[in-house]
Amino acid sequence: MKQSLLHRMKRDRVYLLLLIPVLLYYLLFHYVPMFGIVVSFMDYNLFKGVWHSPWVGLKHYRMFFSNPDAWLIVRNTLLLGLYKFIFAFPAPIALAILFYEMRWKKFRRFVQSVSYLPFFLSSVVLSSIMIMLLSPSTGWINKAIQSLGFEPINFLQRPEWFRTIYIASDIWQMTGYGTIIFLAALAAIDPQLYEAARMDGANRWKQTVHVTLPGIIPAIVIMFILSIGGILNIPFDKAFLLGNAGNLDTADIISTYVYRIGILGGGMSYATAINLSLGLVTMLLVYLTNVASRKVGETSLW
Amino acid sequence: MVRTGRIGVFDVVNFLLLLFVAITMVFPFLHMASVAISAPEYVVRNEISFFPKGLQFDALRAIFEDNRLWIGYRNSIGYVILGLFISMSLTIMGAYALSRRGLVFYKPVMLYIVFTIMFFGGMIPFYLVARAYGLMDSIWAMVLPNAINTYNLIVMRTFFSGMPVEVEESGRIDGLSDFTVLTRIVMPLSKPVLLTIGMFYTVGIWNDFQSALLLIRDPNLFPLQLVIRNLVVVGQAGDVLEATTRDGHKVILESLKYGVILLGCLPVLIVYPFIQKHFEQGAMIGSVKG
């Protein structure tokens, strides 16, 4: 017999009560800001507030798409995301396989421990370390370059170096931690498969290609989908901290541009319009990859 | 997997690669600490790599004497304690309610929560809303906006719903209510997941930079991350240097900055060995989605 809604609500009243603060949190800090995107259709003024600022329709969207800066920051964001994806995505898979194949357990444990550590550093600490190590006059890296007989490079003032620095530091910070999920997948591979492969005369390399990699394909596909959404969604912190007037040509991405124009410059409506246009593109991108992966394989996120 | 038999080229190459990884991971920390406690003459000549030369603690002393880092520490510890309490309470409450079988309104509530992963209003609407709530220059700015992490909520819910029904039923027979089942049975049985998620929240609040940058302007409320950024990235460490040279100490700016960074990540370095087991478990719990 199906119970009436009212009856079920009464039965679950304690649970519903517990849910109220949670729902309220999402309302206040996620849904109200979503409605805040109306400011992108106004000439928002901090002193006039939402109620008294004039409506201007799509003015800010037109402005953004006709602004030559727009192309630059979209390009910077996409390229940074794409390069990060290409170089940083395979890194934990490779490292996990190295760990997996390591026969000296104590050594393996040690390398694992030290490689997880950077994950817990804050973006501020990480960026600070990078700035110090890369300093043209006092940084260790430039000292090493000089001792090899080359000229020191002012890495953070040169636009052509920004992406390399950003992605290299990302790999340094995230690869170790990223191996955990692949190590779990590796642990689930049936050892008999290796035996069979050896019987067929496969060497270590062939075993890796034909047994190890296929064994962790489902994990790779899931992580692949999860990372696609990240291509456009680059965190603000590190790009902001490592960016400066010298490398702005490549370091300026959507979120730092929005911060500069919106918070520092006061062009809030314009900044929101940018943010929203690209938020929608990201959403579409995640959705499409998920549809594609469901078509291709059986793995999907939802 | 346990490999046996002859040590081949494969093993040697693997060993060398992993050795390289280990050195890259450890080097920045060693270098940082070495520069911070080396004598100025060696630092100036860029002679420090892995190990300190001519031990001297003047740089660290100068940092200790400047109160900015202490204010940052005090504030960040406060934010973590308050924020952890709020985040854990909300997450546990939500996860428990959502883990109940046949909960009324389950589907719409889940949709309402999960939708926020896909879509976010953006930095400016968030800033405007937070201002309107009066969060500017308030400690709540550091603990409320990110109080619930949706992934953490879902992970905890999945863990709670995996609990055997029999255990709960036995508690009910002993007279536990809907709420005391949570506090007496579900929570004690979920210690690993609570620890792990608590740790993720702690790291999140401790490392949070963006909320402070957007919403906190009062130097007395600056969290540690903002202090480090101002000293190292913006370069205010120069003031500390001036103060120390007035006192007749000789300190190099580089040692000072590295000292600040080192003291900034010291809590992580100290706590890390103890939490390692938990986060590995946690990353696994997180990967088994329900």
Side-chain angles (χ1 to χ4, degrees):
Chain A
M1 194 183 76
K2 189 141 170 72
Q3 291 161 317
S4 75
L5 192 65
L6 215 62
H7 181 86
R8 288 170 67 203
M9 279 172 71
K10 196 165 165 248
R11 184 198 65 194
D12 290 345
R13 64 191 181 281
V14 175
Y15 304 138
L16 294 176
L17 213 64
L18 287 173
L19 269 178
I20 286 174
V22 176
L23 300 182
L24 202 65
Y25 162 79
Y26 279 101
L27 179 70
L28 288 177
F29 290 103
H30 290 268
Y31 284 94
V32 175
M34 275 182 214
F35 292 106
I37 59 183
V38 294
V39 299
S40 68
F41 303 104
M42 312 173 152
D43 263 336
Y44 182 78
N45 179 319
L46 214 50
F47 303 102
K48 286 187 187 157
V50 177
W51 307 112
H52 299 103
S53 297
W55 290 95
V56 294
L58 293 175
K59 176 181 144 192
H60 297 292
Y61 291 87
R62 273 197 296 270
M63 220 164 92
F64 177 57
F65 287 108
S66 59
N67 184 343
D69 280 359
W71 167 233
L72 188 73
I73 61 159
V74 170
R75 185 167 159 260
N76 283 345
T77 312
L78 257 175
L79 280 182
L80 194 61
L82 209 64
Y83 288 147
K84 183 176 142 182
F85 183 69
I86 294 171
F87 293 103
F89 180 74
I93 303 173
L95 186 61
I97 293 177
L98 292 185
F99 282 147
Y100 180 64
E101 295 283 351
M102 188 69 235
R103 53 203 293 163
W104 298 294
K105 288 288 148 279
K106 283 216 172 112
F107 177 67
R108 172 187 154 164
R109 247 349 283 169
F110 168 74
V111 183
Q112 272 182 295
S113 297
V114 294
S115 67
Y116 297 160
L117 178 59
F119 176 79
F120 294 93
L121 298 182
S122 68
S123 51
V124 173
V125 165
L126 179 74
S127 309
S128 300
I129 294 176
M130 294 309 285
I131 290 171
M132 295 298 288
L133 285 178
L134 293 169
S135 153
S137 52
T138 56
W140 186 86
I141 292 180
N142 267 311
K143 192 195 78 183
I145 290 176
Q146 273 172 302
S147 68
L148 291 174
F150 297 100
E151 287 292 297
I153 301 168
N154 197 343
F155 287 102
L156 285 166
Q157 297 289 333
R158 303 267 294 272
E160 68 269 30
W161 279 101
F162 176 77
R163 290 185 190 122
T164 312
I165 295 165
Y166 187 98
I167 290 156
S169 60
D170 235 60
I171 291 177
W172 182 76
Q173 186 176 24
M174 300 297 182
T175 301
Y177 191 81
T179 58
I180 294 178
I181 193 152
F182 294 113
L183 282 172
L186 286 166
I189 297 177
D190 186 352
Q192 286 183 337
L193 292 175
Y194 289 99
E195 237 161 83
R198 262 199 304 275
M199 296 286 190
D200 293 342
N203 59 19
R204 290 282 284 273
W205 175 247
K206 283 204 164 143
Q207 288 174 35
T208 303
V209 174
H210 296 292
V211 180
T212 311
L213 274 178
I216 57 172
I217 282 288
I220 294 178
V221 171
I222 293 223
M223 297 315 283
F224 187 86
I225 304 170
L226 283 173
S227 333
I228 295 260
I231 288 186
L232 265 176
N233 206 0
I234 300 195
F236 165 82
D237 291 14
K238 206 165 72 169
F240 172 72
L241 291 162
L242 291 177
N244 57 51
N247 63 13
L248 211 59
D249 282 349
T250 52
D252 207 13
I253 58 169
I254 295 159
S255 52
T256 56
Y257 187 76
V258 167
Y259 176 78
R260 232 183 33 255
I261 302 291
I263 306 278
L264 299 182
M268 301 205 160
S269 296
Y270 180 55
T272 310
I274 302 166
N275 220 346
L276 180 64
S277 331
L278 297 159
L280 289 174
V281 176
T282 314
M283 218 170 111
L284 194 72
L285 203 63
V286 177
Y287 179 74
L288 288 179
T289 29
N290 201 45
V291 170
S293 82
R294 208 168 355 192
K295 281 255 164 68
V296 176
E298 302 89 72
T299 331
S300 95
L301 282 183
W302 58 79
Chain B
M1 182 183 39
V2 183
R3 292 281 187 188
T4 47
R6 221 159 51 83
I7 295 173
V9 184
F10 195 99
D11 297 298
V12 175
V13 172
N14 191 358
F15 175 80
L16 291 176
L17 284 174
L18 287 184
L19 191 68
F20 173 74
V21 169
I23 291 171
T24 337
M25 294 299 162
V26 175
F27 174 73
F29 297 101
L30 280 181
H31 181 64
M32 202 152 52
S34 301
V35 175
I37 59 171
S38 287
E41 55 266 34
Y42 299 106
V43 180
V44 167
R45 274 184 270 140
N46 273 338
E47 283 182 5
I48 315 294
S49 294
F50 281 84
F51 303 105
K53 281 184 187 169
L55 280 187
Q56 188 197 313
F57 297 94
D58 284 1
L60 293 185
R61 191 178 307 136
I63 299 164
F64 283 128
E65 280 165 8
D66 190 89
N67 63 355
R68 274 173 283 194
L69 205 71
W70 295 126
I71 293 176
Y73 255 102
R74 182 198 67 194
N75 291 337
S76 282
I77 291 172
Y79 297 146
V80 164
I81 294 172
L82 181 66
L84 189 62
F85 176 75
I86 294 174
S87 295
M88 286 306 274
S89 313
L90 284 173
T91 310
I92 290 171
M93 278 157 46
Y96 177 63
L98 289 170
S99 72
R100 300 299 90 188
R101 280 162 204 85
L103 178 78
V104 63
F105 303 134
Y106 174 79
K107 278 223 162 126
V109 169
M110 271 317 269
L111 188 68
Y112 173 85
I113 289 173
V114 171
F115 183 70
T116 61
I117 298 181
M118 303 246 301
F119 195 73
F120 174 62
M123 185 190 279
I124 308 293
F126 166 77
Y127 171 78
L128 294 176
V129 163
R131 264 180 78 103
Y133 294 157
L135 291 180
M136 279 304 267
D137 275 333
S138 113
I139 54 171
W140 303 107
M142 296 298 295
V143 294
L144 288 183
N146 299 314
I148 299 181
N149 176 312
T150 305
Y151 286 106
N152 287 348
L153 178 68
I154 291 175
V155 166
M156 202 186 278
R157 187 218 61 175
T158 309
F159 195 88
F160 285 171
S161 39
M163 204 156 286
V165 197
E166 295 78 13
V167 186
E168 267 169 48
E169 273 168 4
S170 70
R172 299 225 183 244
I173 292 166
D174 292 339
L176 294 184
S177 68
D178 287 342
F179 186 71
T180 43
V181 163
L182 170 66
T183 54
R184 299 282 182 78
I185 293 187
V186 175
M187 278 169 67
L189 285 176
S190 310
K191 269 193 201 128
V193 79
L194 294 181
L195 255 163
T196 308
I197 287 178
M199 186 203 72
F200 282 133
Y201 276 130
T202 306
V203 173
I205 301 167
W206 183 265
N207 285 347
D208 184 11
F209 166 68
Q210 203 181 342
S211 313
L213 181 73
L214 287 177
L215 299 173
I216 300 214
R217 302 282 151 82
D218 176 0
N220 281 316
L221 291 176
F222 280 177
L224 186 61
Q225 304 306 327
L226 207 55
V227 174
I228 300 175
R229 179 247 180 178
N230 288 342
L231 287 172
V232 181
V233 182
V234 180
Q236 289 174 3
D239 328 340
V240 184
L241 192 69
E242 273 170 36
T244 48
T245 33
R246 262 204 309 279
D247 298 345
H249 289 292
K250 204 165 156 252
V251 174
I252 303 292
L253 188 61
E254 217 197 336
S255 303
L256 211 58
K257 285 186 173 179
Y258 269 135
V260 170
I261 305 173
L262 189 69
L263 290 175
C265 58
L266 204 59
V268 177
L269 298 181
I270 294 172
V271 179
Y272 177 73
F274 302 100
I275 58 173
Q276 203 191 333
K277 195 180 87 200
H278 295 293
F279 76 73
E280 270 179 69
Q281 238 168 27
M284 292 324 305
I285 296 170
S287 65
V288 191
K289 284 242 195 74

